[in-house]
Amino acid sequence: MIKCKQATQMLSEKLDRTLSAKEKINLAMHTAICTPCRQFGKQMETIRELSKSYTKAKKPDEK
Amino acid sequence: MSNANLSVEMDSSAAVNVFQDAVFIEELRTQMLKFAKLQVRDNQLAEAAVQEAMFSAYQNIDRFARQAAFKTWVFSILKNKIIDLLRKEKRHTAASQLEEGPNLSGEALIEHLFEENGHWQKDERPKKWDQPEHGVENEHFWRIFDACLDALPAKYGRLFMMREFLEMDTPEICHNEDVSVSSLNVTLYRARLRLRECLEDHWFQKEKS
């Protein structure tokens, strides 16, 4: 059973590479029972979306 | 008007006015420069890339429409300039040479966040973030986001921005920066850990109270 430390790293690496089948299963089993890591996974995706809109959302001040 | 495009909502003479708004342009330039300097450690090269991007935007002003999209557009020009620069120079300062910087990073950060048994420290467990819709569009959020990015150790910030902002892929980053794939993955993980914590502490939790 993997711990939060490994799970969070996998949740980050998921954005950079394809996880192996074994990693996927381990991760799914972990996040099924771990709310903080589930949050963490969602937040990783939020951070990616935010970064994508970084240069887009910055509007000049509305006048 | 040439280059007629369905999305054009403003004619080019109005668009040129963007350049007459000195405050807006200065602010934009500052942001661009900060962005460029994180990627290209040579200040003069970074300055030059920003100048060129601005100039190229000015010359091609009729290609773009609304002022709201102006930043996106200029930044996309700048991004391409930086990517070109990085490819050409093949790392001015390789990430491997950069300091990790002050604040908790690396193992110290991991130790701070996780118990010895590998579980989250109680206080450090990620909290639920409110739906970003209500807030992230505003200036204040982006100022915090910027501050959190700035607070990242230089190496983290640089690799993170290459991945997330310049959208470079792993082989290219590793080639340019002379880092191994596993080292890149670990650095990105740590950068995201730090950024996540910073955003939660300074925005998402504050919002709630």
Side-chain angles (χ1 to χ4, degrees):
Chain A
M1 194 66 190
I2 58 167
K3 305 285 167 54
C4 303
K5 206 155 119 178
Q6 293 100 305
T8 50
Q9 183 158 356
M10 280 185 205
L11 286 163
S12 164
E13 293 198 8
K14 211 171 97 174
L15 302 175
D16 306 312
R17 64 179 178 91
T18 315
L19 298 183
S20 71
K22 194 178 163 212
E23 286 173 318
K24 280 183 192 162
I25 294 167
N26 280 330
L27 187 57
M29 280 176 19
H30 181 90
T31 49
I33 56 162
C34 180
T35 315
C37 285
R38 228 165 27 237
Q39 296 291 359
F40 184 89
K42 278 188 213 154
Q43 291 162 358
M44 288 299 99
E45 281 164 28
T46 305
I47 287 176
R48 166 148 289 180
E49 286 158 26
L50 287 171
S51 303
K52 279 219 160 62
S53 57
Y54 180 81
T55 53
K56 292 167 195 153
K58 287 187 152 192
K59 293 176 192 164
D61 294 320
E62 246 74 60
K63 300 217 168 113
Chain B
M1 191 171 99
S2 61
N3 270 346
N5 179 313
L6 285 178
S7 69
V8 172
E9 291 167 15
M10 187 193 218
D11 66 30
S12 54
S13 65
V16 171
N17 286 339
V18 168
F19 282 96
Q20 261 129 48
D21 185 341
V23 177
F24 170 68
I25 290 295
E26 191 42 43
E27 202 179 286
L28 179 60
R29 221 186 66 85
T30 310
Q31 285 173 4
M32 289 167 78
L33 200 56
K34 212 167 68 187
F35 182 80
K37 278 184 183 167
L38 269 167
Q39 307 300 325
V40 186
R41 288 278 148 178
D42 182 310
N43 286 357
Q44 281 180 336
L45 277 177
E47 292 260 8
V50 172
Q51 289 303 346
E52 279 175 38
M54 279 286 194
F55 186 61
S56 155
Y58 186 77
Q59 281 184 311
N60 299 295
I61 195 75
D62 56 346
R63 286 204 206 144
F64 110 103
R66 294 151 296 124
Q67 180 168 351
F70 186 70
K71 266 189 195 175
T72 314
W73 185 63
V74 182
F75 261 95
S76 69
I77 298 174
L78 179 62
K79 275 185 196 176
N80 290 330
K81 296 236 179 276
I82 293 174
I83 292 174
D84 279 354
L85 260 180
L86 292 173
R87 276 184 191 138
K88 235 180 273 164
E89 305 290 327
K90 188 173 179 309
R91 79 208 143 83
H92 246 265
T93 322
S96 49
Q97 289 166 249
L98 293 174
E99 294 287 327
E100 293 214 331
N103 293 327
L104 288 180
S105 55
E107 280 311 309
L109 172 67
I110 308 275
E111 273 168 35
H112 172 76
L113 295 176
F114 299 101
E115 309 250 15
E116 247 168 75
N117 65 15
H119 290 290
W120 286 100
Q121 294 276 7
K122 200 154 182 267
D123 298 342
E124 300 295 342
R125 287 179 193 154
K127 320 269 186 321
K128 189 176 186 314
W129 285 0
D130 288 340
Q131 279 307 306
E133 277 87 42
H134 73 289
V136 298
E137 290 301 318
N138 78 32
E139 285 286 309
H140 185 51
F141 171 78
W142 291 111
R143 230 171 285 142
I144 289 172
F145 194 83
D146 270 344
C148 288
L149 273 179
D150 279 351
L152 289 177
K155 177 179 165 185
Y156 293 13
R158 179 183 171 102
L159 295 179
F160 178 82
M161 288 173 113
M162 284 184 161
R163 155 68 85 243
E164 303 294 352
F165 294 173
L166 303 179
E167 297 175 55
M168 291 166 75
D169 63 17
T170 297
E172 184 161 30
I173 299 176
C174 290
H175 175 75
N176 267 301
E177 298 298 307
D178 237 2
V179 293
S180 67
V181 173
S182 63
S183 152
L184 172 65
N185 288 343
V186 169
T187 305
L188 289 172
Y189 166 55
R190 290 173 177 179
R192 290 180 184 127
L193 270 180
R194 277 277 300 267
L195 196 56
R196 192 210 72 79
E197 235 211 326
C198 183
L199 291 174
E200 181 160 302
D201 290 350
H202 296 99
W203 179 259
F204 290 101
Q205 283 310 107
K206 282 248 162 73
E207 276 291 280
K208 271 191 174 156
S209 50

